[in-house]
Amino acid sequence: MERQILHVDVNNAFLSWTAIDMLKNGSQIDIREIPAIIGGDESKRSGIVLAKSMKAKECGIKTADTIYQARIKCPGLKIYPSNFKVYREYSNKLYNLLLEYTDRIERFSIDECFLDMTNYLMNDALINKAKEINKRVKEELGFTVNVGVAHNKLLAKMASDFTKPDRVHTLYEEEIPDKMWTLPVSELFMLGKRTVPKLYNMQIKTIGDLARTDKRILQDKFGKHGIMMWEYANGIDESEVKYLKEKPKGIGNSVTLPEDISNIEKLEEILLALTEQVTYRLRKQKMLAKVVNVQLRTKDFVDTSHQRKMLSATASTKEIFSNAKELLKQMYRKGTPIRLIGLRLDDLTDKEEMQISLFDNVKDRKQEKLDKAIDSLKDKYGYDLITRAGNMEIDGLIKFRKD
DNA sequence: TCTGGGGTCCTAGGACCC
DNA sequence: TCTGGGGTCCTAGGACCC
């Protein structure tokens, strides 16, 4: 049976949401109407463009440009900081409105949703629903969305990416040659800046070129990725709308340091603060982790990571930190200036499913109680006030996250 | 005054086993 | 004297997404 899928994509999400939040707080200007961006903080060495207004886009500013580059492209550019708390709020408002249409909604990111409307509607009725969503979001929530209408997720997503803002587009199978094959191959979902030049060398320049390429040639050159890109180019995608909330597969946190650090003791202190934050989130998920991963980025942007599988899954701050510390020691070359340090936990399992380990001992249980006690203090008095690193300067680097 | 942070999935090579 | 081969697990790194 043919499926009916919508993809709802907020136009310039971070910028639009910042704009209406500012207006709500009495701002006289609508930053959607001027050359403006949402950017990181250059003084914290995270100065990149997160979102741009149409006028900023006309200057040639692209997402992930450095703010430095953006200012050169567009003198007089206005720059505003991001505020994820606000973004989550508006994202939830959108989600709640969409729930009136179906509960089969996959929140693909903070500003994108897939809706499975199969069994609800025929083509024409669905297009009307898409138009209604588009109109209602604008009138009731104050920002605009693009809505893509198709028979699978890939085509719905490609459709919502056509002309912007505030539009509804369809992409049915018979429309693929006109609407999709004519586009440059770089526009295809999952084709990034590494793959596109390789395709260009093979004289594959449009999505149509890719669709007409022998699948086996792509498989030989790109493996599984090659099969996938061929299928996508031909509009084939059987993946389901994942509307049930899934547990995370990994949890991590990393920081770009205010200045490069070449001192392992200092790095360890930051690693402890990261461990505290990540294990706190892990425990909130009621999960245990088996794999610990430490990432370093040098001042020259060389990334390395080392990971280790522990003998048993754990959520203990102490246990995970001791593993992380050893990984750091093992990979850090003395004197190397470090720009970024990160900690990730992978191979997560639900805590309930864990058997009581034979090696479970009094000491471990004591640690668990300690973690629990600290977590509830954090819940009660605020995350930042209760940390083991106990160093305000470092604690300030690691942001509290409410997942 | 260059170049974020949080994820997911895949690959390739080595170790080890039968 | 030549040098199996499949399978799994582990680790490091890469590609892509928003």
Side-chain angles (χ1 to χ4, degrees):
Chain A
M1 155 143 196
E2 202 156 61
R3 297 178 295 153
Q4 300 279 23
I5 310 293
L6 300 184
H7 181 250
V8 178
D9 190 347
V10 179
N11 301 129
N12 313 122
F14 291 178
L15 190 112
S16 301
W17 288 338
T18 302
I20 57 181
D21 193 59
M22 286 171 65
L23 292 169
K24 206 171 75 185
N25 291 315
S27 167
Q28 296 301 306
I29 49 162
D30 186 335
I31 63 169
R32 287 173 289 191
E33 310 298 331
I34 61 172
I37 60 167
I38 305 301
D41 186 339
E42 282 173 304
S43 72
K44 289 183 182 148
R45 307 202 298 176
S46 60
I48 63 154
V49 175
L50 298 168
K52 58 205 180 291
S53 68
M54 298 301 281
K55 284 229 167 69
K57 189 180 177 180
E58 283 163 21
C59 300
I61 293 172
K62 296 194 174 66
T63 302
D65 277 355
T66 61
I67 294 176
Y68 175 77
Q69 291 171 320
R71 251 196 301 259
I72 292 171
K73 288 179 184 173
C74 183
L77 182 72
K78 297 286 184 195
I79 302 161
Y80 301 90
S82 60
N83 183 343
F84 281 84
K85 197 164 165 260
V86 167
Y87 303 157
R88 228 177 335 252
E89 242 173 70
Y90 285 105
S91 175
N92 289 340
K93 283 184 188 179
L94 174 64
Y95 180 67
N96 286 328
L97 187 148
L98 297 176
L99 276 176
E100 293 180 34
Y101 295 85
T102 177
D103 55 1
R104 300 200 166 201
I105 303 174
E106 174 178 346
R107 299 184 79 167
F108 189 67
S109 70
I110 197 163
D111 64 342
E112 286 180 41
C113 290
F114 288 101
L115 279 66
D116 188 341
M117 306 285 276
T118 313
N119 302 335
Y120 287 77
L121 299 161
M122 305 298 290
N123 280 358
D124 285 353
L126 186 63
I127 293 167
N128 287 333
K129 281 290 171 202
K131 286 178 179 164
E132 187 186 310
I133 287 170
N134 169 275
K135 188 159 169 264
R136 280 191 61 199
V137 172
K138 184 166 44 176
E139 289 175 1
E140 295 174 27
L141 303 180
F143 54 88
T144 63
V145 294
N146 264 35
V147 185
V149 184
H151 293 138
N152 66 42
K153 285 169 71 178
L154 182 269
L155 291 175
K157 183 156 170 64
M158 293 301 295
S160 71
D161 209 31
F162 295 160
T163 48
K164 295 174 184 176
D166 196 19
R167 296 287 298 271
V168 174
H169 298 285
T170 60
L171 184 49
Y172 296 125
E173 284 67 14
E174 63 273 20
E175 298 178 297
I176 287 174
D178 282 354
K179 287 190 176 179
M180 192 166 85
W181 284 354
T182 49
L183 297 174
V185 76
S186 56
E187 296 288 302
L188 188 64
F189 182 62
M190 288 302 285
L191 290 192
K193 61 178 195 301
R194 299 283 173 186
T195 311
V196 169
K198 293 179 191 162
L199 292 173
Y200 257 67
N201 284 338
M202 299 164 72
Q203 301 304 312
I204 298 169
K205 304 203 162 143
T206 65
I207 297 179
D209 293 339
L210 183 59
R212 287 183 291 268
T213 304
D214 189 332
K215 186 157 75 164
R216 284 165 302 185
I217 292 172
L218 295 168
Q219 183 176 17
D220 287 349
K221 191 150 173 84
F222 299 102
K224 268 191 182 177
H225 189 54
I227 303 275
M228 193 203 64
M229 65 175 87
W230 183 87
E231 288 180 347
Y232 280 7
N234 282 285
I236 300 166
D237 172 29
E238 301 288 329
S239 68
E240 301 284 331
V241 174
K242 299 196 197 92
Y243 58 92
L244 298 173
K245 198 163 155 53
E246 292 188 345
K247 289 273 195 163
K249 305 215 162 69
I251 299 178
N253 188 204
S254 59
V255 267
T256 294
L257 304 164
E259 53 194 22
D260 297 331
I261 293 180
S262 321
N263 168 335
I264 192 160
E265 286 81 23
K266 196 92 190 163
L267 290 172
E268 277 177 13
E269 284 182 54
I270 295 159
L271 196 56
L272 175 58
L274 290 167
T275 306
E276 279 205 81
Q277 194 253 30
V278 173
T279 54
Y280 173 78
R281 286 162 61 201
L282 180 70
R283 292 189 291 266
K284 285 284 160 220
Q285 291 281 345
K286 299 198 190 315
M287 295 186 92
L288 304 174
K290 197 132 189 211
V291 172
V292 183
N293 181 310
V294 173
Q295 182 201 357
L296 294 178
R297 173 176 294 159
T298 68
K299 77 171 208 298
D300 307 313
F301 268 77
V302 178
D303 286 340
T304 48
S305 71
H306 279 208
Q307 66 184 55
R308 129 185 325 191
K309 196 161 189 161
M310 298 179 290
L311 288 174
S312 59
T314 179
S316 154
T317 304
K318 190 182 170 194
E319 172 97 20
I320 288 169
F321 179 56
S322 105
N323 278 281
K325 216 161 55 173
E326 283 182 45
L327 286 166
L328 175 66
K329 197 158 56 172
Q330 169 192 330
M331 68 195 288
Y332 182 65
R333 296 280 153 260
K334 204 173 167 199
T336 315
I338 297 301
R339 177 189 175 91
L340 171 145
I341 178 166
L343 178 88
R344 278 195 65 73
L345 300 176
D346 281 298
D347 205 343
L348 308 187
T349 49
D350 280 313
K351 192 173 178 215
E352 289 85 356
E353 287 174 16
M354 269 295 296
Q355 298 293 319
I356 293 164
S357 164
L358 288 173
F359 306 102
D360 197 18
N361 59 39
V362 180
K363 236 175 158 181
D364 288 347
R365 253 176 271 148
K366 224 170 135 187
Q367 272 304 319
E368 197 180 333
K369 273 193 183 160
L370 180 60
D371 284 330
K372 222 179 224 172
I374 292 175
D375 287 352
S376 30
L377 286 176
K378 284 174 175 164
D379 294 340
K380 196 165 170 191
Y381 298 108
Y383 181 89
D384 300 325
L385 293 177
I386 316 291
T387 58
R388 283 176 228 227
N391 180 330
M392 299 220 307
E393 226 171 284
I394 289 173
D395 290 339
L397 286 177
I398 314 298
K399 282 222 189 60
F400 173 60
R401 259 181 71 114
K402 193 159 181 291
D403 290 292

